[in-house]
Amino acid sequence: MSPPQLLLSLLLLMLLDVEPSGATLIRVSLRRVHSGHKTLNLLRRWREPAELSSLEASSPGNKLGLVPLSDFLDVQYFGEIGLGTPPQNFSVVFDTGSSNLWVPSRRCHFFSVPCWFHHRFNPNASSSFQPNGTKFAIEYGSGRLNGILSKDKLTIGGLKGASVVFGEALWEPSLTFTFAPFDGILGLGFPILAVEGVRPPLDVLVEQGLLDKPVFSFYLNRDPDVADGGELVLGGSDPAHYIPPLTFVPVTIPAYWQIHMERVKVGTGLTLCAQGCAAILDTGTSLITGPTEEIRALHAAIGGIPLPPGEHLIECSEIPRLPPVSFLLGGVWFNLTGKDYVVQITWGGVHLCLSGFQPLDMPPPAGPLWILGDVFLGAYVAVFDRGDTNTGARVGLARARPRASGGRGGGPAQAQLSG
């Protein structure tokens, strides 16, 4: 490369690192909660969307916002939003595997036990509430969530004023919700997944000029010695969260965040997904799941000891000697060490180490596939980019920056929008 070309390349790199005008990363205090296990895994019933819709995006502004995340047993994350005027606060899971926003309602059925253990939306306490009244139901593996749709103002990560249609849950038959440390779910999947054709919150934020682009990124902190659980960045990504470069992989089916995975390797002796396979990046799934036979072979390679509920125990002393598990995505290997894929918990004074892999068979046409949940996303920052009319949806991945070297402070940080 000639000196003029080198100088031009350096200038372009400097321009890419310049914070966009008006792009401010809003930081909110985070909390960590240790309670329950795999709530969304128990609830989720994956389905293949019947049809796909075209992706539409606009770029009305140049703003960025951060939402705080809290840790759910080290591998599930949730944070705060507000609904109404003045805002009524709710703790929600930010879930890339669904597309609706719902919270419990003050008008819920008397025998809907989860309502009495969580914050409930009160329409009478909001001056901006607009009734809708359309009934909705969301299917989960352990039952249905029923309610009515309503419209009100959403406050999220410092962004205010977006009028969103959301679900007021009137009947939650699943006891799983009773003990969940979150109130509801905010879906970040594609519009095709939304029940009753409701516009997902991300789309609304873009359409109403509160976000520049339909892009968001997750930094999930799994360090049990650190108080915060990470950050969700709306509108772009924060380079302070990851070690460049980002590797972008195209979304193959714009419903879930589904991509093509070329191969999976365990150490040097075992290859899985040998002919290529589908994979979904899902913040609402705690672990990494895959076809039963392949996960069984993986556990044999890492010395997993089977437990009755489908978990696998790992000897904690063996973590430093465990083989890496590597995923080939977009021509780049993404490696997980034993420390990355072993979930360490303390329960009743007993320290346990559990495998972060679990079998889950998805029948055709949706499967077979792998789900890269929070065990993977804790090691790698993911940038979810819905794209526009010229570029398709894609996911960017880069190794999460260790907290000790991240230099996180309370002030604004550099922001990066996907081009």
Side-chain angles (χ1 to χ4, degrees):
M1 182 179 291
S2 66
Q5 290 175 320
L6 179 61
L7 179 61
L8 180 60
S9 298
L10 291 173
L11 286 172
L12 287 173
L13 285 173
M14 290 173 65
L15 287 172
L16 286 174
D17 285 337
V18 173
E19 182 177 350
S21 176
T24 301
L25 301 183
I26 302 168
R27 306 193 182 280
V28 185
S29 298
L30 307 180
R31 59 189 174 87
R32 182 179 297 276
V33 175
H34 298 278
S35 174
H37 188 37
K38 297 187 300 178
T39 301
L40 287 193
N41 283 356
L42 294 171
L43 294 170
R44 176 73 48 72
R45 185 176 79 181
W46 288 87
R47 63 191 186 281
E48 179 77 3
E51 57 181 348
L52 300 179
S53 61
S54 61
L55 301 179
E56 298 178 352
S58 58
S59 300
N62 191 19
K63 300 186 176 72
L64 229 127
L66 283 184
V67 175
L69 297 174
S70 297
D71 175 293
F72 181 28
L73 193 55
D74 292 331
V75 288
Q76 277 194 348
Y77 302 81
F78 50 93
E80 300 296 321
I81 65 167
L83 285 169
T85 307
Q88 301 173 41
N89 294 328
F90 298 92
S91 180
V92 297
V93 171
F94 295 98
D95 178 25
T96 58
S98 64
S99 298
N100 286 86
L101 166 61
W102 66 264
V103 296
S105 173
R106 191 184 181 194
R107 299 178 282 181
C108 65
H109 194 284
F110 179 81
F111 293 105
S112 183
V113 178
C115 284
W116 304 105
F117 290 88
H118 294 89
H119 297 100
R120 295 175 289 163
F121 178 75
N122 181 3
N124 296 327
S126 172
S127 62
S128 53
F129 173 77
Q130 298 178 47
N132 179 296
T134 302
K135 294 180 180 179
F136 80 95
I138 299 178
E139 285 279 354
Y140 292 105
S142 56
R144 292 167 64 90
L145 174 77
N146 298 299
I148 57 172
L149 297 178
S150 298
K151 189 174 185 179
D152 214 328
K153 301 293 185 180
L154 171 67
T155 299
I156 179 170
L159 302 178
K160 301 178 180 180
S163 295
V164 299
V165 175
F166 66 99
E168 288 189 62
L170 303 179
W171 177 242
E172 300 174 55
S174 173
L175 287 179
T176 307
F177 280 124
T178 302
F179 304 105
F182 53 85
D183 301 310
I185 295 174
L186 190 151
L188 290 167
F190 289 80
I192 190 64
L193 293 182
V195 300
E196 299 299 331
V198 173
R199 294 298 285 169
L202 180 70
D203 297 68
V204 173
L205 291 172
V206 173
E207 290 165 1
Q208 297 184 13
L210 295 172
L211 289 182
D212 176 70
K213 293 181 179 181
V215 182
F216 59 94
S217 57
F218 277 91
Y219 168 65
L220 306 181
N221 181 22
R222 296 181 65 224
D223 185 349
D225 297 323
V226 179
D228 66 287
E231 288 173 332
L232 160 65
V233 183
L234 298 170
S237 62
D238 182 353
H241 288 158
Y242 58 83
I243 302 171
L246 284 166
T247 297
F248 281 94
V249 185
V251 170
T252 54
I253 299 180
Y256 304 112
W257 289 89
Q258 182 170 325
I259 60 176
H260 177 70
M261 185 160 64
E262 291 105 298
R263 266 195 321 282
V264 178
K265 289 179 64 177
V266 183
T268 57
L270 176 63
T271 298
L272 307 172
C273 176
Q275 306 302 316
C277 56
I280 290 173
L281 292 143
D282 182 24
T283 59
T285 295
S286 299
L287 309 180
I288 297 173
T289 74
T292 296
E293 291 304 315
E294 295 197 299
I295 297 298
R296 182 178 292 123
L298 184 152
H299 278 135
I302 67 174
I305 304 168
L307 297 175
E311 307 281 1
H312 279 74
L313 193 67
I314 303 291
E315 290 191 29
C316 298
S317 60
E318 289 298 310
I319 292 177
R321 291 180 286 277
L322 291 175
V325 178
S326 305
F327 303 82
L328 185 59
L329 304 166
V332 175
W333 285 105
F334 293 87
N335 305 314
L336 296 182
T337 65
K339 186 177 179 181
D340 293 327
Y341 63 74
V342 172
V343 180
Q344 301 187 50
I345 63 174
T346 300
W347 193 265
V350 178
H351 187 66
L352 295 175
C353 294
L354 299 175
S355 166
F357 299 95
Q358 192 171 54
L360 181 64
D361 290 314
M362 309 298 297
L369 56 77
W370 289 63
I371 299 175
L372 305 182
D374 296 337
V375 165
F376 180 86
L377 296 173
Y380 290 93
V381 167
V383 180
F384 298 83
D385 184 352
R386 288 270 295 276
D388 53 33
T389 53
N390 298 317
T391 61
R394 59 183 185 167
V395 177
L397 296 169
R399 187 77 192 190
R401 192 180 297 275
R403 297 293 291 188
S405 62
R408 309 303 295 151
Q414 196 172 55
Q416 177 174 318
L417 297 178
S418 301

